[in-house]
Short mmCIF file of all heavy atoms in Angstrom, two decimals:
data_model
loop_
_atom_site.label_atom_id
_atom_site.label_comp_id
_atom_site.label_asym_id
_atom_site.label_seq_id
_atom_site.Cartn_x
_atom_site.Cartn_y
_atom_site.Cartn_z
N SER A 14 21.61 -6.98 14.82
CA SER A 14 21.99 -7.55 13.52
C SER A 14 21.19 -6.89 12.39
O SER A 14 19.96 -6.90 12.42
CB SER A 14 21.70 -9.05 13.51
OG SER A 14 21.75 -9.56 12.20
N PRO A 15 21.88 -6.34 11.39
CA PRO A 15 21.17 -5.71 10.26
C PRO A 15 20.26 -6.69 9.53
O PRO A 15 19.20 -6.30 9.06
CB PRO A 15 22.30 -5.23 9.35
CG PRO A 15 23.49 -5.12 10.24
CD PRO A 15 23.34 -6.20 11.26
N TYR A 16 20.68 -7.96 9.46
CA TYR A 16 19.88 -8.96 8.75
C TYR A 16 18.58 -9.27 9.51
O TYR A 16 17.50 -9.33 8.92
CB TYR A 16 20.69 -10.24 8.56
CG TYR A 16 21.96 -10.02 7.77
CD1 TYR A 16 23.19 -9.96 8.41
CD2 TYR A 16 21.92 -9.85 6.39
CE1 TYR A 16 24.36 -9.74 7.69
CE2 TYR A 16 23.09 -9.63 5.65
CZ TYR A 16 24.30 -9.58 6.32
OH TYR A 16 25.44 -9.35 5.60
N ALA A 17 18.70 -9.43 10.82
CA ALA A 17 17.51 -9.72 11.63
C ALA A 17 16.56 -8.53 11.66
O ALA A 17 15.34 -8.69 11.50
CB ALA A 17 17.93 -10.09 13.05
N VAL A 18 17.12 -7.33 11.84
CA VAL A 18 16.29 -6.13 11.89
C VAL A 18 15.58 -5.91 10.55
O VAL A 18 14.38 -5.60 10.51
CB VAL A 18 17.13 -4.89 12.26
CG1 VAL A 18 16.32 -3.61 12.07
CG2 VAL A 18 17.62 -4.99 13.70
N THR A 19 16.32 -6.07 9.46
CA THR A 19 15.73 -5.87 8.13
C THR A 19 14.63 -6.88 7.87
O THR A 19 13.57 -6.53 7.33
CB THR A 19 16.81 -5.97 7.04
OG1 THR A 19 17.82 -4.99 7.28
CG2 THR A 19 16.21 -5.74 5.66
N LEU A 20 14.85 -8.13 8.24
CA LEU A 20 13.84 -9.17 8.05
C LEU A 20 12.57 -8.86 8.82
O LEU A 20 11.45 -8.94 8.27
CB LEU A 20 14.40 -10.52 8.49
CG LEU A 20 13.48 -11.73 8.29
CD1 LEU A 20 13.16 -11.93 6.81
CD2 LEU A 20 14.12 -12.99 8.86
N LEU A 21 12.71 -8.47 10.09
CA LEU A 21 11.55 -8.13 10.90
C LEU A 21 10.85 -6.87 10.36
O LEU A 21 9.62 -6.79 10.34
CB LEU A 21 11.96 -7.93 12.35
CG LEU A 21 12.29 -9.21 13.13
CD1 LEU A 21 12.90 -8.86 14.49
CD2 LEU A 21 11.04 -10.06 13.31
N TYR A 22 11.65 -5.90 9.96
CA TYR A 22 11.10 -4.66 9.40
C TYR A 22 10.26 -4.96 8.15
O TYR A 22 9.14 -4.45 8.02
CB TYR A 22 12.23 -3.71 9.07
CG TYR A 22 11.83 -2.54 8.19
CD1 TYR A 22 11.07 -1.48 8.71
CD2 TYR A 22 12.18 -2.51 6.84
CE1 TYR A 22 10.69 -0.42 7.90
CE2 TYR A 22 11.80 -1.45 6.04
CZ TYR A 22 11.06 -0.41 6.56
OH TYR A 22 10.68 0.62 5.74
N VAL A 23 10.80 -5.76 7.25
CA VAL A 23 10.08 -6.09 6.02
C VAL A 23 8.77 -6.80 6.34
O VAL A 23 7.73 -6.51 5.73
CB VAL A 23 10.96 -6.97 5.10
CG1 VAL A 23 10.15 -7.55 3.94
CG2 VAL A 23 12.13 -6.15 4.55
N ALA A 24 8.81 -7.70 7.32
CA ALA A 24 7.60 -8.45 7.69
C ALA A 24 6.54 -7.53 8.27
O ALA A 24 5.37 -7.55 7.85
CB ALA A 24 7.97 -9.55 8.68
N VAL A 25 6.92 -6.70 9.25
CA VAL A 25 5.94 -5.84 9.92
C VAL A 25 5.47 -4.71 9.01
O VAL A 25 4.27 -4.41 8.94
CB VAL A 25 6.53 -5.26 11.23
CG1 VAL A 25 5.52 -4.35 11.92
CG2 VAL A 25 6.93 -6.39 12.17
N ALA A 26 6.40 -4.09 8.29
CA ALA A 26 6.02 -3.03 7.35
C ALA A 26 5.16 -3.59 6.23
O ALA A 26 4.23 -2.92 5.75
CB ALA A 26 7.27 -2.37 6.77
N GLY A 27 5.42 -4.83 5.84
CA GLY A 27 4.60 -5.48 4.82
C GLY A 27 3.16 -5.66 5.28
O GLY A 27 2.21 -5.47 4.50
N VAL A 28 2.99 -6.02 6.54
CA VAL A 28 1.64 -6.15 7.11
C VAL A 28 0.93 -4.79 7.10
O VAL A 28 -0.27 -4.70 6.77
CB VAL A 28 1.70 -6.71 8.54
CG1 VAL A 28 0.33 -6.63 9.22
CG2 VAL A 28 2.20 -8.15 8.52
N TYR A 29 1.66 -3.74 7.46
CA TYR A 29 1.07 -2.39 7.45
C TYR A 29 0.62 -2.00 6.04
O TYR A 29 -0.50 -1.53 5.83
CB TYR A 29 2.08 -1.37 7.98
CG TYR A 29 1.64 0.06 7.78
CD1 TYR A 29 0.73 0.66 8.66
CD2 TYR A 29 2.11 0.83 6.70
CE1 TYR A 29 0.30 1.96 8.46
CE2 TYR A 29 1.69 2.13 6.51
CZ TYR A 29 0.78 2.69 7.38
OH TYR A 29 0.35 3.99 7.18
N VAL A 30 1.49 -2.22 5.06
CA VAL A 30 1.17 -1.86 3.67
C VAL A 30 -0.03 -2.66 3.18
O VAL A 30 -0.94 -2.11 2.53
CB VAL A 30 2.39 -2.11 2.75
CG1 VAL A 30 1.99 -2.03 1.28
CG2 VAL A 30 3.49 -1.11 3.04
N TYR A 31 -0.07 -3.94 3.51
CA TYR A 31 -1.20 -4.78 3.08
C TYR A 31 -2.51 -4.27 3.68
O TYR A 31 -3.52 -4.18 3.00
CB TYR A 31 -0.94 -6.23 3.50
CG TYR A 31 -2.08 -7.16 3.16
CD1 TYR A 31 -2.26 -7.62 1.86
CD2 TYR A 31 -2.99 -7.57 4.14
CE1 TYR A 31 -3.30 -8.47 1.54
CE2 TYR A 31 -4.04 -8.42 3.83
CZ TYR A 31 -4.20 -8.86 2.53
OH TYR A 31 -5.25 -9.70 2.21
N GLY A 32 -2.46 -3.92 4.96
CA GLY A 32 -3.66 -3.42 5.62
C GLY A 32 -4.16 -2.12 5.01
O GLY A 32 -5.37 -1.96 4.77
N ILE A 33 -3.24 -1.20 4.75
CA ILE A 33 -3.63 0.08 4.14
C ILE A 33 -4.16 -0.13 2.72
O ILE A 33 -5.13 0.51 2.30
CB ILE A 33 -2.44 1.06 4.14
CG1 ILE A 33 -2.03 1.42 5.58
CG2 ILE A 33 -2.79 2.33 3.37
CD1 ILE A 33 -3.09 2.17 6.36
N TYR A 34 -3.54 -1.05 2.00
CA TYR A 34 -3.98 -1.30 0.62
C TYR A 34 -5.39 -1.88 0.59
O TYR A 34 -6.22 -1.49 -0.24
CB TYR A 34 -3.01 -2.24 -0.08
CG TYR A 34 -3.38 -2.53 -1.51
CD1 TYR A 34 -3.33 -1.52 -2.48
CD2 TYR A 34 -3.82 -3.79 -1.90
CE1 TYR A 34 -3.70 -1.77 -3.80
CE2 TYR A 34 -4.19 -4.05 -3.21
CZ TYR A 34 -4.12 -3.04 -4.15
OH TYR A 34 -4.49 -3.29 -5.45
N LYS A 35 -5.68 -2.81 1.49
CA LYS A 35 -7.03 -3.38 1.55
C LYS A 35 -8.04 -2.30 1.94
O LYS A 35 -9.18 -2.30 1.44
CB LYS A 35 -7.07 -4.53 2.56
CG LYS A 35 -6.18 -5.70 2.20
CD LYS A 35 -6.52 -6.31 0.84
CE LYS A 35 -7.83 -7.06 0.87
NZ LYS A 35 -8.11 -7.75 -0.42
N TRP A 36 -7.65 -1.40 2.80
CA TRP A 36 -8.49 -0.27 3.18
C TRP A 36 -8.74 0.62 1.97
O TRP A 36 -9.88 1.01 1.70
CB TRP A 36 -7.79 0.50 4.31
CG TRP A 36 -8.54 1.69 4.85
CD1 TRP A 36 -9.82 2.05 4.58
CD2 TRP A 36 -8.04 2.67 5.77
NE1 TRP A 36 -10.15 3.21 5.26
CE2 TRP A 36 -9.08 3.60 6.00
CE3 TRP A 36 -6.81 2.85 6.41
CZ2 TRP A 36 -8.91 4.70 6.84
CZ3 TRP A 36 -6.65 3.94 7.25
CH2 TRP A 36 -7.69 4.85 7.47
N TYR A 37 -7.71 0.91 1.23
CA TYR A 37 -7.81 1.75 0.03
C TYR A 37 -8.77 1.12 -0.98
O TYR A 37 -9.55 1.83 -1.64
CB TYR A 37 -6.42 1.93 -0.58
CG TYR A 37 -6.42 2.43 -2.00
CD1 TYR A 37 -6.72 3.77 -2.30
CD2 TYR A 37 -6.11 1.58 -3.06
CE1 TYR A 37 -6.71 4.23 -3.61
CE2 TYR A 37 -6.10 2.04 -4.38
CZ TYR A 37 -6.40 3.36 -4.64
OH TYR A 37 -6.40 3.82 -5.93
N GLN A 38 -8.72 -0.19 -1.12
CA GLN A 38 -9.53 -0.88 -2.12
C GLN A 38 -11.03 -0.88 -1.80
O GLN A 38 -11.83 -1.20 -2.68
CB GLN A 38 -9.06 -2.33 -2.26
CG GLN A 38 -7.78 -2.48 -3.06
CD GLN A 38 -7.49 -3.95 -3.33
OE1 GLN A 38 -7.54 -4.78 -2.43
NE2 GLN A 38 -7.20 -4.28 -4.57
N LYS A 39 -11.40 -0.54 -0.60
CA LYS A 39 -12.81 -0.61 -0.20
C LYS A 39 -13.68 0.44 -0.86
O LYS A 39 -14.91 0.34 -0.85
CB LYS A 39 -12.93 -0.50 1.32
CG LYS A 39 -12.46 -1.75 2.07
CD LYS A 39 -12.71 -1.64 3.56
CE LYS A 39 -12.32 -2.91 4.29
NZ LYS A 39 -12.58 -2.82 5.75
N GLY A 40 -13.08 1.50 -1.39
CA GLY A 40 -13.85 2.56 -2.02
C GLY A 40 -13.36 2.83 -3.43
O GLY A 40 -12.16 2.87 -3.67
N PRO A 41 -14.28 3.01 -4.39
CA PRO A 41 -13.87 3.26 -5.78
C PRO A 41 -13.41 4.70 -5.99
O PRO A 41 -13.83 5.62 -5.29
CB PRO A 41 -15.16 2.99 -6.56
CG PRO A 41 -16.25 3.35 -5.60
CD PRO A 41 -15.74 2.96 -4.24
N VAL A 42 -12.52 4.88 -6.94
CA VAL A 42 -12.08 6.20 -7.36
C VAL A 42 -12.33 6.31 -8.87
O VAL A 42 -11.85 5.48 -9.64
CB VAL A 42 -10.58 6.43 -7.07
CG1 VAL A 42 -10.13 7.79 -7.60
CG2 VAL A 42 -10.30 6.32 -5.58
N HIS A 43 -13.10 7.33 -9.26
CA HIS A 43 -13.44 7.51 -10.68
C HIS A 43 -12.68 8.73 -11.22
O HIS A 43 -12.79 9.82 -10.68
CB HIS A 43 -14.94 7.72 -10.85
CG HIS A 43 -15.33 8.03 -12.25
ND1 HIS A 43 -15.32 7.09 -13.26
CD2 HIS A 43 -15.74 9.20 -12.83
CE1 HIS A 43 -15.70 7.65 -14.40
NE2 HIS A 43 -15.97 8.93 -14.16
N ILE A 44 -11.94 8.50 -12.30
CA ILE A 44 -11.15 9.58 -12.90
C ILE A 44 -11.46 9.64 -14.39
O ILE A 44 -11.17 8.70 -15.13
CB ILE A 44 -9.63 9.36 -12.70
CG1 ILE A 44 -9.30 9.21 -11.21
CG2 ILE A 44 -8.83 10.51 -13.30
CD1 ILE A 44 -7.87 8.80 -10.93
N GLU A 45 -12.07 10.74 -14.82
CA GLU A 45 -12.40 10.93 -16.22
C GLU A 45 -11.14 11.23 -17.03
O GLU A 45 -10.16 11.77 -16.52
CB GLU A 45 -13.38 12.09 -16.39
CG GLU A 45 -14.80 11.77 -15.99
CD GLU A 45 -15.51 10.88 -17.00
OE1 GLU A 45 -15.14 10.90 -18.20
OE2 GLU A 45 -16.43 10.15 -16.59
N LYS A 46 -11.19 10.87 -18.31
CA LYS A 46 -10.10 11.20 -19.22
C LYS A 46 -10.04 12.71 -19.43
O LYS A 46 -11.05 13.38 -19.58
CB LYS A 46 -10.30 10.52 -20.57
CG LYS A 46 -9.82 9.08 -20.62
CD LYS A 46 -8.30 9.00 -20.56
CE LYS A 46 -7.82 7.56 -20.66
NZ LYS A 46 -6.35 7.48 -20.52
N SER A 47 -8.81 13.24 -19.42
CA SER A 47 -8.63 14.67 -19.64
C SER A 47 -7.23 14.88 -20.21
O SER A 47 -6.49 13.92 -20.45
CB SER A 47 -8.77 15.45 -18.32
OG SER A 47 -7.69 15.15 -17.45
N GLY A 48 -6.87 16.14 -20.41
CA GLY A 48 -5.54 16.43 -20.90
C GLY A 48 -4.45 16.00 -19.95
O GLY A 48 -3.29 15.81 -20.35
N PHE A 49 -4.81 15.85 -18.67
CA PHE A 49 -3.81 15.46 -17.67
C PHE A 49 -3.44 13.98 -17.75
O PHE A 49 -2.33 13.60 -17.39
CB PHE A 49 -4.33 15.77 -16.26
CG PHE A 49 -4.41 17.23 -15.95
CD1 PHE A 49 -5.64 17.82 -15.69
CD2 PHE A 49 -3.26 18.02 -15.90
CE1 PHE A 49 -5.72 19.18 -15.39
CE2 PHE A 49 -3.34 19.37 -15.60
CZ PHE A 49 -4.57 19.95 -15.34
N ASN A 50 -4.37 13.15 -18.18
CA ASN A 50 -4.10 11.71 -18.18
C ASN A 50 -4.31 11.05 -19.54
O ASN A 50 -4.46 9.83 -19.63
CB ASN A 50 -4.97 11.01 -17.12
CG ASN A 50 -6.46 11.23 -17.34
OD1 ASN A 50 -6.86 11.85 -18.32
ND2 ASN A 50 -7.28 10.72 -16.43
#
């Protein structure tokens, strides 16, 4: 069922994204102002 598969996919992929995002947040990134930004 496309509905069941999509629902499960969103749930599991959402957990993956949340985990990676929390991992990303553990370290700071410093970007100075320049012509690029």
Side-chain angles (χ1 to χ4, degrees):
S14 166
Y16 301 103
V18 170
T19 301
L20 182 62
L21 286 171
Y22 166 74
V23 169
V25 179
V28 170
Y29 170 80
V30 168
Y31 178 78
I33 296 296
Y34 181 67
K35 297 302 289 185
W36 182 9
Y37 164 74
Q38 283 188 312
K39 287 185 177 181
V42 176
H43 175 72
I44 304 172
E45 284 287 333
K46 277 290 182 183
S47 68
F49 290 117
N50 58 4

